[in-house]
Amino acid sequence: MVDRQPSFLVLQLCLVLVSVIITVRNSKLAGAYGEHAKRKLQYQADSSGFINIDCGASESYTDRETGLVYELDTKYIDTGKTHEIDPDFLSATYHRQQRHNLRFFPEGKRNCYTLKPIQGGKNNYLIRAVFEYGNYDGKNQTPGFDLYLGVNNWTRMSSAMGMREIIHVPSDAYIDVCLVNTGNGVPYISALELRPLDNSLYRIPNGALQNIYSLDLGGNNDIRYPEDVFDRYWDPYNEGNWSVMSTESALQSSADGSNYKVPDKLLQTAAASKSASVPLSLVIERGSDPNSTCYIYFHFAEIEILDNGSNRELQIEVHGVRNLSSEPVTLEYLMPMTKTSTGLPMSADEEISFKIYASEGSNLPPILNAVEVFLYIELPDSPTNFNDAVVVLGKSESKSENKNDTFAAKNQQFTYSDIVKITKNFEKVLGKGGFGTVYLGYLDDTEVAVKLLSSSSAQGYKEFHSEVKLLMRVHHRNLTSLVGYCIEGTHMGIIYEYMANGSLDQYFSGKHEGKNASILSWEDRMRIAVDAAQGLEYLHDGCKPPIIHRDVKSSNILLNEKLEAKIADFGVSRIFPIESGSHVCTGVVGTAGYLDPEYCSSNRLNEKSDIYSFGVILLEIITSRPVILTALENTHISKWVNSMLAEGDIRSIVDPKLSGDFEINSAWKAVELALSCTSQSSSERPTMIEVVMELKECLVLAMTPNGEGHPGNKSKGPRRMLSVDVNADEFSPSAR
Ligand SMILES: *[C@@H]1O[C@H](CO)[C@@H](O)[C@H](O)[C@H]1NC(C)=O
Ligand SMILES: *[C@@H]1O[C@H](CO)[C@@H](O)[C@H](O)[C@H]1NC(C)=O
Ligand SMILES: *[C@@H]1O[C@H](CO)[C@@H](O)[C@H](O)[C@H]1NC(C)=O
Ligand SMILES: *[C@@H]1O[C@H](CO)[C@@H](O)[C@H](O)[C@H]1NC(C)=O
Ligand SMILES: *[C@@H]1O[C@H](CO)[C@@H](O)[C@H](O)[C@H]1NC(C)=O
Ligand SMILES: *[C@@H]1O[C@H](CO)[C@@H](O)[C@H](O)[C@H]1NC(C)=O
Ligand SMILES: *[C@@H]1O[C@H](CO)[C@@H](O)[C@H](O)[C@H]1NC(C)=O
Ligand SMILES: *[C@@H]1O[C@H](CO)[C@@H](O)[C@H](O)[C@H]1NC(C)=O
Ligand SMILES: *[C@@H]1O[C@H](CO)[C@@H](O)[C@H](O)[C@H]1NC(C)=O
Ligand SMILES: *[C@@H]1O[C@H](CO)[C@@H](O)[C@H](O)[C@H]1NC(C)=O
């Protein structure tokens, strides 16, 4: 299969003919060879763990070529539509039934297949996506789109047919293969396949290998499963000035202990140069980013019986660098051997070139049996070794339930230059904090908030990445959703949904820009409290393991244009130092006034610390006073409220700007709740579930004026419109 890159398209057509003939021949022969059938059965058992999806197919079937059963894709994806390709193209897609139909995605920027291999995460997999446009839409226009592996950009697909393969170790049990619309046509896909590989093979730290080509030198037909137990696709390849060698003898176990399981059939042929003085050379135009890195796997086996006990000795030159210091490769008769070139930068002329020389003094021409070339794809979350296989972030279990396609559709990794574009070159600052600046941005005409973290140490990189990945799966209506992130060198950024009315603290301090007349009504306050409490409740009780926010404060409660509240910055504060006033008690982080006093002494962080902080916010909501009352010798707000309460005076506690326009029972309940949340001892504090329940009662009370304090029925006006409630003077203050 040579359609891994467009430049091979012509060759592809020739191969179509070749492989059709070969298939016919094979199927005739199959019956004659009992051996063949036996091998197939044995391979069948080995194939456990293969995932074979025919995208857009209407029924499952057994593939004639491989004997593999292809299933429908409906189990893996909910979105998109299916279509058959134009019958005119059927002949060109040869016998591959998978290419006869496809799934296309006219809606949504990003559509994902979710695979859950039975071997679980932290295992090595070959993932293959197959594309055959076949003018299914009658437009005769090849779409271009990006393929993503989870949040990571894998590759671009822009030819009318092709295949993309990647070898990858997923960090958790799910693999999302996503098609991302880039505005160049409707993404589509014909087939998706997953093959487990041996964990010792093709392993690259922090990255994945994208196959560019796998060539069977000297071969004459393509090879895949069942000959190749991993179902790698091998294309025959020859050049006119090579001589071809072949053998019928079976290969033995590898000479170097490696277990690449390269099929015998493949190693039984090789290309040799005409003489020992001529190197075997291969140049492939790649046309990719010259700065990208490639990995080459050379597969050798001596297949010629040499007299005199002599051995073929070879040296490998890649991109013009012949590594003379390395040991020559000595081939042994019928013993496979694999040599890997590690992380070579692509040559400046965007070519991949290598030469195999005969070692000095060796008079046998150099040979090569097979070669694989890969492009390195950086995937920062790929585990680098399997010993940390048990360390899981803990989200994988709850992931599938929390996952929402519409949310997933927005998750994305952005480049720094995207960030520059999105923020219109950092045009408008929304806010500033200790660990970054927040800018206004536009993503497809939707306003977003872009938080750029101030350059932090490279150490934070991995943590940031895995944390953001985790947070993108946490989804609740009362949490600001993460739209995407950027991680590029020292640039780290997070894109959130935009909350038009800013943070809650601005309403207390009177800082709220241009809106100095707006005062939140009691009912609005209670509604905001309920919203925020529900967000926190979800983090504590809806996530397994629970997520502790650690920096609950009114500036992290954001309001949208309808004054609905959401919690921001959850989780991210766990990896970045917390802003202002973090030195309340030595060694712990948190914001002055909101910090659990018990945490200061125990240094132990738990949900109850968030509840303390939430209680402080509730006191702010009730009183509109600063958390630390500087005018009263830096008294903490909870202390002050407690002392006022001792005098039984609720009206002096509630924000005087409300001019007494609040439901008194609701206020009592809220004050009591806030004070229990701010209990010095964590065991006396309620849980978030209890807090939510109590606050809902406060809200119900606030919405049903009991009449006692109100002469006449109060017109509330549109529920969320503040201006209506501001002019409370029309009504007599509640007097009780
Ligand atoms: C994704 O990667 C491909 C291949 O490197 C590249 O062409 C494409 O521009 C990338 N897409 C984005 C959004 O960066
Ligand atoms: C073999 O042929 C290729 C092109 O087909 C050419 O680039 C190369 O120089 C030739 N090598 C020799 C030794 O003739
Ligand atoms: C390749 O890397 C060099 C040096 O890092 C840089 O100057 C150049 O712009 C890069 N080229 C591309 C195409 O990214
Ligand atoms: C045996 O080795 C010698 C020296 O390497 C060589 O000249 C001779 O041709 C070899 N014999 C055969 C049969 O290849
Ligand atoms: C050359 O080979 C030696 C031994 O295998 C290795 O240590 C060295 O890094 C190689 N050099 C290059 C430039 O690949
Ligand atoms: C997923 O999102 C859709 C559309 O917003 C919504 O109707 C649905 O309830 C959501 N599902 C979950 C489980 O949140
Ligand atoms: C804010 O208050 C100032 C002075 O009190 C007033 O001049 C201004 O118009 C107010 N702004 C708005 C948007 O109400
Ligand atoms: C909330 O945002 C809307 C839309 O941006 C604005 O019209 C309204 O005045 C804001 N309300 C408050 C109380 O700031
Ligand atoms: C918060 O969640 C509750 C239900 O869980 C919902 O009624 C409310 O509208 C949500 N708030 C926002 C801002 O979405
Ligand atoms: C006042 O409230 C009562 C009971 O809720 C209702 O029956 C009455 O119609 C209301 N009066 C006005 C003027 O809205």
Side-chain angles (χ1 to χ4, degrees):
M1 273 302 319
V2 182
D3 54 354
R4 278 177 271 232
Q5 54 169 337
S7 56
F8 275 121
L9 276 180
V10 178
L11 193 48
Q12 164 84 39
L13 289 177
C14 310
L15 279 175
V16 168
L17 297 172
V18 174
S19 46
V20 168
I21 293 162
I22 285 162
T23 313
V24 172
R25 210 183 55 200
N26 276 351
S27 57
K28 273 192 192 147
L29 291 177
Y33 287 106
E35 185 58 29
H36 180 76
K38 221 167 78 195
R39 264 178 68 198
K40 210 159 189 171
L41 265 181
Q42 181 199 325
Y43 283 129
Q44 202 68 48
D46 284 350
S47 77
S48 67
F50 279 24
I51 296 177
N52 314 306
I53 305 170
D54 185 341
C55 308
S58 52
E59 51 191 18
S60 63
Y61 58 88
T62 303
D63 183 67
R64 268 181 299 163
E65 191 197 359
T66 57
L68 296 170
V69 175
Y70 277 77
E71 45 179 346
L72 309 189
D73 62 350
T74 45
K75 199 167 110 192
Y76 302 94
I77 196 156
D78 302 324
T79 53
K81 297 179 173 156
T82 64
H83 213 287
E84 284 181 6
I85 65 168
D86 184 332
D88 288 351
F89 284 81
L90 279 180
S91 56
T93 65
Y94 38 131
H95 48 283
R96 293 275 157 76
Q97 191 169 343
Q98 294 90 63
R99 293 175 178 246
H100 292 182
N101 33 45
L102 50 76
R103 183 173 290 276
F104 64 104
F105 301 96
E107 276 163 31
K109 186 170 165 55
R110 181 183 162 103
N111 287 278
C112 302
Y113 281 84
T114 302
L115 310 180
K116 187 173 188 277
I118 56 170
Q119 289 82 358
K122 314 255 177 180
N123 273 291
N124 210 9
Y125 296 105
L126 166 67
I127 300 161
R128 178 185 297 131
V130 181
F131 304 91
E132 180 77 49
Y133 165 63
N135 196 25
Y136 77 93
D137 55 1
K139 290 185 184 155
N140 235 329
Q141 246 174 19
T142 307
F145 50 93
D146 283 348
L147 270 186
Y148 275 66
L149 218 45
V151 296
N152 296 295
N153 184 5
W154 163 8
T155 185
R156 173 149 293 181
M157 180 64 210
S158 54
S159 45
M161 64 192 294
M163 198 162 80
R164 294 289 184 272
E165 276 183 12
I166 196 163
I167 295 178
H168 167 54
V169 178
S171 55
D172 67 29
Y174 295 84
I175 301 170
D176 286 333
V177 177
C178 304
L179 293 94
V180 176
N181 191 323
T182 55
N184 301 304
V186 174
Y188 72 94
I189 184 166
S190 306
L192 190 58
E193 301 167 345
L194 174 139
R195 311 323 187 194
L197 295 175
D198 275 11
N199 282 335
S200 60
L201 308 179
Y202 307 105
R203 290 301 307 277
I204 306 300
N206 290 323
L209 293 175
Q210 174 172 347
N211 188 293
I212 301 176
Y213 58 81
S214 301
L215 301 179
D216 174 15
L217 277 69
N220 43 37
N221 53 270
D222 51 342
I223 294 177
R224 65 172 292 194
Y225 185 85
E227 279 77 20
D228 190 312
V229 289
F230 298 135
D231 195 21
R232 286 162 293 193
Y233 281 22
W234 301 90
D235 303 309
Y237 191 78
N238 293 290
E239 284 190 10
N241 50 13
W242 291 349
S243 53
V244 170
M245 290 161 48
S246 69
T247 181
E248 299 281 302
S249 307
L251 273 291
Q252 299 165 7
S253 57
S254 70
D256 54 0
S258 68
N259 202 9
Y260 280 85
K261 296 184 183 165
V262 178
D264 277 16
K265 204 169 163 187
L266 211 128
L267 295 174
Q268 281 166 339
T269 61
S273 74
K274 295 286 187 205
S275 80
S277 58
V278 179
L280 186 83
S281 76
L282 192 57
V283 177
I284 301 283
E285 282 176 34
R286 174 56 195 161
S288 83
D289 181 352
N291 284 357
S292 53
T293 303
C294 65
Y295 281 74
I296 309 179
Y297 291 71
F298 300 96
H299 302 287
F300 298 101
E302 181 58 74
I303 52 172
E304 204 174 57
I305 302 172
L306 300 171
D307 295 326
N308 297 346
S310 62
N311 284 324
R312 213 180 292 265
E313 284 195 354
L314 311 171
Q315 275 189 318
I316 302 170
E317 173 189 296
V318 179
H319 293 162
V321 181
R322 187 173 171 185
N323 192 340
L324 292 170
S325 64
S326 70
E327 290 285 300
V329 181
T330 305
L331 304 188
E332 312 246 6
Y333 187 57
L334 298 177
M335 290 170 85
M337 175 178 278
T338 297
K339 290 285 164 193
T340 312
S341 82
T342 49
L344 296 153
M346 204 68 82
S347 69
D349 41 8
E350 307 186 9
E351 288 175 349
I352 295 163
S353 68
F354 60 81
K355 289 186 173 137
I356 315 284
Y357 288 87
S359 289
E360 217 150 304
S362 172
N363 56 2
L364 295 162
I367 68 165
L368 181 60
N369 308 57
V371 64
E372 295 171 281
V373 177
F374 298 96
L375 209 59
Y376 170 76
I377 308 275
E378 190 185 9
L379 294 178
D381 59 316
S382 304
T384 49
N385 80 64
F386 287 100
N387 295 334
D388 55 33
V390 277
V391 184
V392 196
L393 277 170
K395 289 307 305 159
S396 47
E397 285 318 304
S398 55
K399 176 188 170 183
S400 53
E401 294 96 70
N402 293 336
K403 222 160 99 133
N404 196 322
D405 277 335
T406 47
F407 174 67
K410 288 186 274 170
N411 293 350
Q412 214 175 325
Q413 183 167 10
F414 294 85
T415 63
Y416 185 68
S417 66
D418 292 333
I419 298 285
V420 173
K421 265 182 248 152
I422 289 168
T423 60
K424 298 192 171 159
N425 204 13
F426 309 110
E427 194 176 60
K428 188 172 178 208
V429 174
L430 294 174
K432 272 195 169 114
F435 60 93
T437 306
V438 186
Y439 300 91
L440 180 64
Y442 299 88
L443 201 59
D444 304 335
D445 297 332
T446 309
E447 285 175 312
V448 289
V450 179
K451 175 182 266 187
L452 261 204
L453 304 161
S454 43
S455 58
S456 23
S457 66
Q459 279 178 325
Y461 176 91
K462 255 194 106 131
E463 289 84 347
F464 175 77
H465 192 272
S466 54
E467 188 79 30
V468 167
K469 261 192 75 180
L470 184 151
L471 295 178
M472 293 223 279
R473 292 186 187 147
V474 175
H475 185 46
H476 188 267
R477 279 181 296 173
N478 302 126
L479 301 174
T480 52
S481 40
L482 268 70
V483 175
Y485 68 98
C486 158
I487 180 157
E488 203 179 289
T490 55
H491 298 300
M492 296 190 217
I494 303 174
I495 304 176
Y496 297 98
E497 65 178 306
Y498 175 62
M499 299 290 283
N501 275 330
S503 58
L504 182 60
D505 65 320
Q506 294 171 311
Y507 285 86
F508 306 142
S509 56
K511 279 190 300 203
H512 202 61
E513 195 189 342
K515 297 178 180 116
N516 47 4
S518 54
I519 295 166
L520 296 173
S521 72
W522 181 258
E523 188 187 323
D524 283 324
R525 290 174 200 227
M526 289 304 107
R527 209 181 294 279
I528 287 167
V530 170
D531 282 352
Q534 281 177 331
L536 214 48
E537 180 200 8
Y538 173 76
L539 289 178
H540 286 186
D541 302 299
C543 297
K544 280 189 183 59
I547 294 179
I548 297 158
H549 188 298
R550 222 183 65 158
D551 200 19
V552 177
K553 56 185 176 184
S554 51
S555 58
N556 278 339
I557 310 246
L558 303 184
L559 304 172
N560 65 13
E561 68 292 341
K562 287 184 274 179
L563 279 186
E564 292 168 333
K566 300 193 183 199
I567 297 208
D569 269 6
F570 48 99
V572 174
S573 50
R574 293 197 297 184
I575 33 163
F576 286 92
I578 284 173
E579 29 195 291
S580 63
S582 51
H583 301 293
V584 193
C585 43
T586 325
V588 289
V589 288
T591 302
Y594 293 94
L595 192 68
D596 176 5
E598 201 177 87
Y599 179 37
C600 278
S601 51
S602 71
N603 230 337
R604 243 175 339 111
L605 183 75
N606 60 28
E607 289 95 322
K608 291 295 176 80
S609 310
D610 278 352
I611 289 171
Y612 180 89
S613 313
F614 187 79
V616 176
I617 293 180
L618 207 45
L619 291 173
E620 284 181 280
I621 290 175
I622 295 164
T623 65
S624 285
R625 284 173 197 269
V627 173
I628 306 283
L629 300 163
T630 39
L632 295 169
E633 295 169 350
N634 294 336
T635 306
H636 190 264
I637 189 167
S638 64
K639 229 176 181 173
W640 178 78
V641 171
N642 258 316
S643 68
M644 297 305 280
L645 208 59
E647 294 166 26
D649 189 1
I650 189 97
R651 287 194 297 118
S652 57
I653 294 172
V654 176
D655 184 1
K657 288 196 287 304
L658 284 174
S659 309
D661 185 16
F662 57 89
E663 207 290 321
I664 201 122
N665 295 317
S666 174
W668 271 108
K669 209 171 172 55
V671 170
E672 280 164 11
L673 178 63
L675 291 176
S676 74
C677 288
T678 52
S679 296
Q680 295 294 301
S681 158
S682 64
S683 59
E684 283 164 33
R685 298 173 203 153
T687 64
M688 245 10 255
I689 294 173
E690 291 162 339
V691 172
V692 169
M693 265 165 40
E694 294 285 311
L695 280 174
K696 280 184 172 167
E697 285 178 29
C698 295
L699 179 59
V700 169
L701 288 171
M703 284 159 65
T704 50
N706 56 16
E708 259 189 281
H710 295 279
N713 296 357
K714 189 165 173 286
S715 159
K716 286 293 210 181
R719 224 179 49 197
R720 298 280 188 180
M721 295 303 289
L722 290 177
S723 48
V724 176
D725 278 32
V726 169
N727 198 354
D729 284 351
E730 275 179 31
F731 307 99
S732 336
S734 62
R736 191 171 79 155

